[in-house]
Amino acid sequence: MLLKCLLLLSLAVSQAFGLMGKCDHTPPLATVNTPLENRGYYVFNIENAVQKEGNLYYTPDQTYVLTVTSRENSRPFRWFMITAEDPAVDNNIYDFGRKFADVGSLKTLDTDWRSRYSERCQNTVENADNSAKTQVEVHWVSPKHSENQQQVRIRAMVAENKEAWYTGNNLTILLHMDDQRPRDSPPLPIRDECNLCSEARYEVIFNGRWSRLAHPRHYPSKPDENGYTHMIGASHGNNFTLWLQGTNAGPGLVDLVVKPTPTTLEREIIDAMVLDGGTRTLIRGKKHDHPFMSKPSHSLFRVDRTHHMFSIIVGMTPSPDWFLGTSKFELCDEDGWLEKFDLPLYPWDAGIVDGVSYESPKSMSQPVDNIERVEIGSFDRDSPFYQMNLNDLAPFAILQVRRLDVYPLIGIDCSEGQNAEEELQQDAPVLEPVLAESRQSLLGESCAGEWGEWTPCTPHAGVCGPGLRTRTRYIQNIDLYVNYKVSKSGKGEQEFSSCKNNKDSKATERKECFVRC
């Protein structure tokens, strides 16, 4: 009997506080239980939402401005309620096993004493006084991590007096989650495996864009002390992570953005260099301080079938522990290596030091937070991103990725289903002489001289890590060329020359190697 009473009491409390089903928007002092029809007297609007094919879409973890406005000054309203809710809620049926979706959060403005958080309903803002109002503004922060096809319904109620209040479809906004990737997302999805029959060499260029003109709010008071740290990163495989949203920062990242020194992070990358995973190339670009912050930082790196992505980090000073960068930028596609891409960069928070602005007093976070995007749309007036939307924020840097060369894999048997033929056609000027060199055995040993000694291992970047060694031999009376064609069946065919003239040529063979650091 006691258990039954407690359950009934719990249900009554839940209903009273709007925790079950839809929030009841009937004004507490209303003498009429049925709302009137809103014939355009009041308008409910949301800014920055994207409209596509008649629907409104939101981006996760962004700030949106909601306004309720009276079209006529002669028709002010005194009471209002605004609620964000899961459209799947039912006012009459409650499923105890149902998991409600994250609908974000509503925020009152600290300068507007006419609104407050409701004690009757969850995720609801209501009037704090009975004064006449012609407009109210509330901010909605969309869910940080939305599921595909998630929807959020935001309902408003306005009341002129005890007898006249309005709600319904024209005071309701239905929002769909926009599955478009954030502006600072790499163009290709991460691949478990890369099956391209080649390697590639890239250049990455960091172009700083942080300035008083582009980012005026709370810009540092001593710009002569502004700067970017070294650009540090690596080309790597799936089993290596330089940094990742939602995880703790490693010691190397902490040292780069807090001290700032790149030594620890460079050592982490070098120690992870292995042929069958980990990292392949250490990426290192120059640091730039004011007034040369717009000067680009360059670095070269290589990728292969195992190490087919890259990550970088660039710290910002002054800041609590903010940095710019990209994590697990995939370069391998079904049709070949990515040719080029320009990526806008926005600040990330390493979660080590507390602070809301560039020059905030520094104190260590206790406990340490995960790496997350610096709070865009912050409701702290000391933040440079106070009530902003990511789509309205100018990039703090542009990262340019450019493919320079593509090299075939020698002695590798490509598995079926790859587009090796298309890739070779696309990069024929680079690949043709290498193909000829790698197929000398088809021309007959009588044409070829003895191989010379292997050269010492030459790392692709720096003084250690993966690299190449080569050896050469002379080919007598041979004309080196390769004709490449694709038959009607789609299968590639190569035609090689034979010994038929008096021209001597030199053939080169390459082999992967590794220099320990």
Side-chain angles (χ1 to χ4, degrees), residues 218-223 225-226 318-320 322 356-362:
H218 295 310
Y219 192 75
S221 59
K222 299 178 180 179
E225 299 178 2
N226 290 8
S319 74
W322 299 351
V356 298
S357 189
Y358 307 116
E359 299 177 295
S360 294
K362 293 186 177 182

Short mmCIF file of all heavy atoms in Angstrom, two decimals, residues 218-223 225-226 318-320 322 356-362:
data_model
loop_
_atom_site.label_atom_id
_atom_site.label_comp_id
_atom_site.label_asym_id
_atom_site.label_seq_id
_atom_site.Cartn_x
_atom_site.Cartn_y
_atom_site.Cartn_z
N HIS A 218 36.80 41.37 -27.34
CA HIS A 218 37.81 41.00 -26.33
C HIS A 218 39.14 40.60 -26.96
O HIS A 218 39.84 39.72 -26.43
CB HIS A 218 37.30 39.88 -25.43
CG HIS A 218 36.13 40.28 -24.57
ND1 HIS A 218 36.13 41.41 -23.80
CD2 HIS A 218 34.93 39.69 -24.37
CE1 HIS A 218 34.98 41.52 -23.15
NE2 HIS A 218 34.22 40.47 -23.49
N TYR A 219 39.49 41.21 -28.08
CA TYR A 219 40.80 40.94 -28.68
C TYR A 219 41.88 41.31 -27.66
O TYR A 219 41.73 42.28 -26.91
CB TYR A 219 40.96 41.76 -29.95
CG TYR A 219 42.15 41.37 -30.79
CD1 TYR A 219 42.13 40.20 -31.55
CD2 TYR A 219 43.29 42.16 -30.82
CE1 TYR A 219 43.22 39.83 -32.33
CE2 TYR A 219 44.39 41.80 -31.60
CZ TYR A 219 44.35 40.63 -32.35
OH TYR A 219 45.43 40.27 -33.10
N PRO A 220 42.98 40.54 -27.57
CA PRO A 220 43.99 40.78 -26.54
C PRO A 220 44.45 42.24 -26.49
O PRO A 220 44.64 42.89 -27.52
CB PRO A 220 45.13 39.86 -26.94
CG PRO A 220 44.45 38.73 -27.66
CD PRO A 220 43.31 39.36 -28.39
N SER A 221 44.61 42.74 -25.27
CA SER A 221 44.98 44.15 -25.07
C SER A 221 46.43 44.42 -25.44
O SER A 221 46.80 45.58 -25.66
CB SER A 221 44.74 44.53 -23.60
OG SER A 221 45.50 43.70 -22.74
N LYS A 222 47.25 43.37 -25.48
CA LYS A 222 48.66 43.53 -25.88
C LYS A 222 48.94 42.64 -27.09
O LYS A 222 49.54 41.57 -26.98
CB LYS A 222 49.58 43.13 -24.72
CG LYS A 222 49.38 43.99 -23.47
CD LYS A 222 50.29 43.52 -22.34
CE LYS A 222 50.09 44.37 -21.10
NZ LYS A 222 50.95 43.90 -19.98
N PRO A 223 48.49 43.08 -28.27
CA PRO A 223 48.62 42.21 -29.46
C PRO A 223 50.06 41.89 -29.82
O PRO A 223 50.30 40.92 -30.55
CB PRO A 223 47.93 43.03 -30.56
CG PRO A 223 47.92 44.44 -30.06
CD PRO A 223 47.82 44.35 -28.58
N GLU A 225 52.04 40.52 -28.06
CA GLU A 225 52.37 39.25 -27.43
C GLU A 225 51.60 38.10 -28.05
O GLU A 225 51.71 36.95 -27.60
CB GLU A 225 52.06 39.33 -25.93
CG GLU A 225 52.88 40.40 -25.20
CD GLU A 225 52.52 40.50 -23.73
OE1 GLU A 225 51.66 39.71 -23.28
OE2 GLU A 225 53.11 41.36 -23.04
N ASN A 226 50.81 38.38 -29.09
CA ASN A 226 50.04 37.32 -29.75
C ASN A 226 50.96 36.43 -30.57
O ASN A 226 52.02 36.85 -31.04
CB ASN A 226 48.99 37.92 -30.69
CG ASN A 226 47.86 38.60 -29.92
OD1 ASN A 226 47.93 38.76 -28.71
ND2 ASN A 226 46.84 39.00 -30.64
N PRO A 318 47.88 34.83 -26.62
CA PRO A 318 47.47 34.30 -25.33
C PRO A 318 46.12 33.57 -25.41
O PRO A 318 45.29 33.92 -26.23
CB PRO A 318 47.34 35.55 -24.47
CG PRO A 318 46.91 36.61 -25.44
CD PRO A 318 47.62 36.29 -26.73
N SER A 319 45.95 32.60 -24.58
CA SER A 319 44.68 31.90 -24.41
C SER A 319 44.84 30.99 -23.21
O SER A 319 45.97 30.70 -22.80
CB SER A 319 44.30 31.10 -25.66
OG SER A 319 45.09 29.92 -25.77
N PRO A 320 43.74 30.51 -22.62
CA PRO A 320 43.88 29.56 -21.50
C PRO A 320 44.63 28.30 -21.93
O PRO A 320 45.69 27.99 -21.42
CB PRO A 320 42.43 29.28 -21.10
CG PRO A 320 41.65 30.44 -21.60
CD PRO A 320 42.33 30.88 -22.87
N TRP A 322 43.84 27.07 -25.57
CA TRP A 322 43.13 26.90 -26.84
C TRP A 322 44.11 26.58 -27.96
O TRP A 322 45.27 26.99 -27.94
CB TRP A 322 42.35 28.16 -27.18
CG TRP A 322 41.29 28.49 -26.17
CD1 TRP A 322 40.87 27.72 -25.12
CD2 TRP A 322 40.53 29.69 -26.08
NE1 TRP A 322 39.90 28.34 -24.40
CE2 TRP A 322 39.66 29.57 -24.96
CE3 TRP A 322 40.48 30.85 -26.84
CZ2 TRP A 322 38.77 30.57 -24.60
CZ3 TRP A 322 39.58 31.86 -26.48
CH2 TRP A 322 38.75 31.71 -25.37
N VAL A 356 37.60 31.84 -19.89
CA VAL A 356 36.57 32.05 -20.89
C VAL A 356 37.03 33.00 -22.00
O VAL A 356 36.36 33.11 -23.02
CB VAL A 356 35.28 32.61 -20.26
CG1 VAL A 356 34.71 31.61 -19.27
CG2 VAL A 356 35.52 33.96 -19.60
N SER A 357 38.18 33.67 -21.80
CA SER A 357 38.64 34.61 -22.79
C SER A 357 40.14 34.47 -22.99
O SER A 357 40.81 33.72 -22.27
CB SER A 357 38.31 36.05 -22.37
OG SER A 357 38.56 36.95 -23.43
N TYR A 358 40.67 35.19 -23.99
CA TYR A 358 42.09 35.07 -24.31
C TYR A 358 42.98 35.37 -23.11
O TYR A 358 43.96 34.69 -22.86
CB TYR A 358 42.46 36.03 -25.45
CG TYR A 358 41.60 35.92 -26.67
CD1 TYR A 358 40.80 36.97 -27.09
CD2 TYR A 358 41.59 34.75 -27.44
CE1 TYR A 358 40.00 36.88 -28.23
CE2 TYR A 358 40.81 34.64 -28.57
CZ TYR A 358 40.01 35.72 -28.96
OH TYR A 358 39.23 35.61 -30.08
N GLU A 359 42.63 36.42 -22.37
CA GLU A 359 43.49 36.89 -21.27
C GLU A 359 42.90 36.56 -19.90
O GLU A 359 43.23 37.23 -18.92
CB GLU A 359 43.72 38.39 -21.42
CG GLU A 359 44.42 38.76 -22.72
CD GLU A 359 44.59 40.26 -22.90
OE1 GLU A 359 43.56 40.95 -23.02
OE2 GLU A 359 45.74 40.72 -22.93
N SER A 360 42.05 35.57 -19.80
CA SER A 360 41.48 35.17 -18.51
C SER A 360 42.58 34.73 -17.56
O SER A 360 43.57 34.11 -17.98
CB SER A 360 40.48 34.03 -18.69
OG SER A 360 39.36 34.43 -19.42
N PRO A 361 42.45 35.04 -16.26
CA PRO A 361 43.40 34.50 -15.27
C PRO A 361 43.41 32.98 -15.35
O PRO A 361 42.35 32.34 -15.43
CB PRO A 361 42.83 34.99 -13.94
CG PRO A 361 41.99 36.17 -14.28
CD PRO A 361 41.43 35.90 -15.64
N LYS A 362 44.58 32.39 -15.37
CA LYS A 362 44.69 30.96 -15.59
C LYS A 362 44.66 30.19 -14.27
O LYS A 362 45.34 30.56 -13.31
CB LYS A 362 45.98 30.63 -16.34
CG LYS A 362 45.99 31.15 -17.78
CD LYS A 362 47.22 30.68 -18.53
CE LYS A 362 47.19 31.16 -19.98
NZ LYS A 362 48.36 30.66 -20.75
#
